[in-house]
Amino acid sequence: MNHKLRQERSPLAYEILAYLASHPDAQDTLEGIVHWWLLEQEIKHWAAEVDAALTDLVADGLVIEERGADGRTHYRLNRSLAGEISRLLKEKSRRETDEPHT
C-alpha cells in the first residue's frame, strides 16, 4: 500500500510513533497510552534534561555530587554557596517578573 502521508504532525503524534518504534509489539488503550507510553517518553526526555542541568550545577560548584554506598551518584546543595544560590534565584525571579507577558 502506498499512502500519501501528511507532512505535519503534532509533537504528541511523534511521541506515540517513537514509543511504537521502540516497542513494535505494544498495544494499549487510550488510558494506557497516556499513563504508560507517554510517561516513559517524558521520563526519557526529562532524564537527559536533568542530567545536563546537574552537570552545569556541579561544574559551577552549586551542587555537590558524591558516589553513594549504593554505587550511584547522589547530588546535594553546596551549603557553603547558599547565599550565592539565594541571590541567583531572586535574580531569576526578578527577571521573570520584569518580562512582558504575551
Side-chain angles (χ1 to χ4, degrees), residues 34-49:
V34 169
H35 187 79
W36 297 109
W37 299 9
L38 298 178
L39 178 61
E40 181 179 312
Q41 296 297 97
E42 194 68 15
I43 288 169
K44 286 179 182 177
H45 166 78
W46 280 107
E49 295 280 331

Side-chain angles (χ1 to χ4, degrees), residues 8-71:
E8 297 295 319
R9 299 201 185 280
S10 72
L12 190 54
Y14 286 105
E15 293 291 329
I16 293 168
L17 285 174
Y19 183 89
L20 285 168
S22 297
H23 306 86
D25 295 327
Q27 62 176 321
D28 212 330
T29 62
L30 170 65
E31 295 81 10
I33 291 168
V34 169
H35 187 79
W36 297 109
W37 299 9
L38 298 178
L39 178 61
E40 181 179 312
Q41 296 297 97
E42 194 68 15
I43 288 169
K44 286 179 182 177
H45 166 78
W46 280 107
E49 295 280 331
V50 170
D51 183 51
L54 284 168
T55 298
D56 290 346
L57 292 170
V58 169
D60 288 343
L62 300 170
V63 170
I64 296 170
E65 68 178 352
E66 294 178 328
R67 180 78 57 189
D70 60 2

Side-chain angles (χ1 to χ4, degrees), residues 62 77-94:
L62 300 170
L77 181 73
N78 183 347
R79 291 181 188 242
S80 68
L81 293 179
E84 178 69 11
I85 292 166
S86 179
R87 185 190 65 74
L88 285 169
L89 293 171
K90 285 178 186 171
E91 184 178 293
K92 179 187 180 302
S93 178
R94 188 172 37 253

